[in-house]
Amino acid sequence: MSGSGFGDLVRARGVLRIIAAQLTARFPSGMLSLGLLFHVEGRTGSYGTAGVVLAALSIGQAVAGPATGRLMGRLGIRPVIVVTTVCCAAAIAAIALFDLPPAGIVGLALAAGLTFPPITSAVRTIYPKLVPASLLGQLFSLDASLQELIWIGGPVLVTFLATGVSTTVALLVSAVLLIGGGAWFAASREVGRVRIPRSKRRFGVVLLRPQVALMTLVGFLVIASCAAIEASVAGAFGEKDPTSGVVLAIWSLASLAGGFVLGRLAMRPWSLALRLTLVAAGAALTPFLPGFWGLTTALVISGFGLAPALGMISAIVSSSVRFSDTAEAYGWTNTGQLVGVALGAALAGQALDHFGAPIAFACGALLAVLSALAAAAGIRVFPDLKGRNAGPVPDTAPIPLPPSAG
């Protein structure tokens, strides 16, 4: 990202405020996976059961994502955010406070997922209204980079709370942050000023666009890889060792650095595949480099390409659909990523229980390789954003008039 572009973004009215609000509202996303993993494994003694709970949470989010994105165009952003935030926090608090059988925990995790507030879809739909279209690609890169603060602070905070205090407190803190961040985001002036037009297309039609479908697939694979590696790191060090949180924080810090370094580069059709090749290269080293320093080295390599890849996914979606369809389109891409979390966490959980950490890491590496191959397969349909705006297609356009007779 160029210095001038970054300065223009910082000076744009409301950008820093809405970024801070949405990062706070999304911060529990960086806590819940590990928090539930530690809590459920401690209650049941099984990483497999914990993986099923994480899968239920992610499947609920996946099912609800496109629907809540569509609802924001009908009911408004604020009502949807407020109602979902309250319901989701209540389900998480119930998991923390009550001694439930595994089936009850899975049911509440599914409810939390179904009501998880659609902050990501909302804010990425709002961004085109905050900055000129020429700065939008850089804003997506900045957003993808700064969201790594969630994955730096979240795992560290929840790991130290879970290991130093209790897993119940860790989940309750997540619920409190969900409420506080959601309230701040919903109360932001920028949220009140943006109205998403009702889409005139049938629900799901936007997924037929090849760019949206491919970004959904790529996001699914890369986030499945991340979820598998995250669970593998936790399993490799054990629930009582805070080292896992430190390793995951360094991984996210590398992603943050990569976002700022690579975000300044033009987004070409082949850029996504190259960035994901870097992610896959680092992930492929994880089964062979055990211990703190080995895993840290592998994940620094992998993380350097992660935020740039996620930022490009957002830019490709934004530049390929109409504004009225952006919230639903991001809902589908988020759904792909959340299904990826479910698959990756469950796959790694089973591998940890039956085969050990190296095989669990190998599952994550394979998923990362597949994400790079999927991105390479889509080079022909991806937009070339060098010198182009990443803004959505307007819902209205000038109507050509016939030349006057005179």
Side-chain angles (χ1 to χ4, degrees):
M1 181 181 301
S2 66
S4 60
F6 179 75
D8 291 339
L9 288 176
V10 170
R11 289 189 293 270
R13 182 178 180 183
V15 167
L16 290 182
R17 181 168 52 245
I18 199 67
I19 286 178
Q22 62 97 4
L23 285 176
T24 304
R26 293 165 60 194
F27 195 82
S29 298
M31 301 176 64
L32 283 177
S33 292
L34 275 179
L36 286 170
L37 185 73
F38 288 138
H39 186 76
V40 177
E41 197 279 334
R43 291 282 180 90
T44 66
S46 170
Y47 281 110
T49 301
V52 172
V53 170
L54 293 181
L57 175 73
S58 299
I59 289 171
Q61 290 177 268
V63 170
T68 52
R70 188 85 166 194
L71 278 176
M72 287 190 290
R74 293 179 175 271
L75 304 178
I77 298 175
R78 277 178 172 161
V80 174
I81 295 296
V82 169
V83 172
T84 54
T85 296
V86 171
C87 293
C88 182
I92 294 168
I95 293 174
L97 294 172
F98 299 111
D99 189 9
L100 300 168
I105 300 175
V106 170
L108 282 173
L110 179 63
L114 288 169
T115 57
F116 204 87
I119 302 292
T120 303
S121 295
V123 75
R124 289 177 183 168
T125 301
I126 290 170
Y127 280 159
K129 299 300 182 181
L130 297 184
V131 299
S134 59
L135 293 177
L136 190 55
Q138 296 183 30
L139 180 54
F140 282 130
S141 293
L142 177 64
D143 175 84
S145 300
L146 292 180
Q147 77 174 358
E148 292 304 323
L149 296 173
I150 298 170
W151 310 110
I152 296 170
V156 171
L157 177 59
V158 78
T159 299
F160 280 102
L161 286 174
T163 58
V165 186
S166 74
T167 57
T168 296
V169 169
L171 288 180
L172 288 177
V173 169
S174 301
V176 169
L177 287 173
L178 191 68
I179 290 285
W184 183 13
F185 180 78
S188 300
R189 282 179 289 176
E190 292 73 24
V191 174
R193 286 202 298 260
V194 174
R195 175 68 183 177
I196 303 172
R198 284 195 179 196
S199 176
K200 298 178 181 178
R201 295 170 176 78
R202 295 191 307 276
F203 179 72
V205 169
V206 70
L207 191 59
L208 298 178
R209 291 196 63 82
Q211 296 86 354
V212 177
L214 278 167
M215 289 305 90
T216 301
L217 174 62
V218 170
F220 158 72
L221 290 168
V222 71
I223 298 301
S225 170
C226 292
I229 291 174
E230 180 180 292
S232 301
V233 169
F237 291 102
E239 66 169 288
K240 298 299 182 183
D241 190 343
T243 305
S244 59
V246 177
V247 172
L248 293 173
I250 293 173
W251 185 20
S252 295
L253 187 62
S255 180
L256 175 66
F260 281 106
V261 173
L262 300 182
R264 71 184 64 186
L265 302 179
M267 296 181 181
R268 309 302 299 270
W270 36 262
S271 297
L272 181 60
L274 288 181
R275 294 171 186 190
L276 288 174
T277 298
L278 188 60
V279 174
L285 296 174
T286 55
F288 309 104
L289 297 177
F292 175 81
W293 291 111
L295 286 176
T296 297
T297 300
L299 292 181
V300 164
I301 296 171
S302 176
F304 199 75
L306 187 55
L310 295 176
M312 189 164 182
I313 287 173
S314 295
I316 289 173
V317 171
S318 175
S319 62
S320 303
V321 300
R322 294 181 181 273
F323 179 65
S324 59
D325 291 324
T326 51
E328 184 187 340
Y330 285 126
W332 284 111
T333 57
N334 290 339
T335 287
Q337 294 174 21
L338 292 166
V339 173
V341 172
L343 174 67
L347 190 61
Q350 294 297 324
L352 285 168
D353 279 347
H354 298 289
F355 304 106
I359 299 301
F361 280 119
C363 292
L366 176 60
L367 290 164
V369 170
L370 291 175
S371 73
L373 293 175
I379 287 176
R380 290 186 177 181
V381 300
F382 292 161
D384 188 342
L385 297 178
K386 183 179 181 180
R388 286 186 51 200
N389 298 330
V393 179
D395 283 277
T396 58
I399 301 174
L401 298 176
S404 60

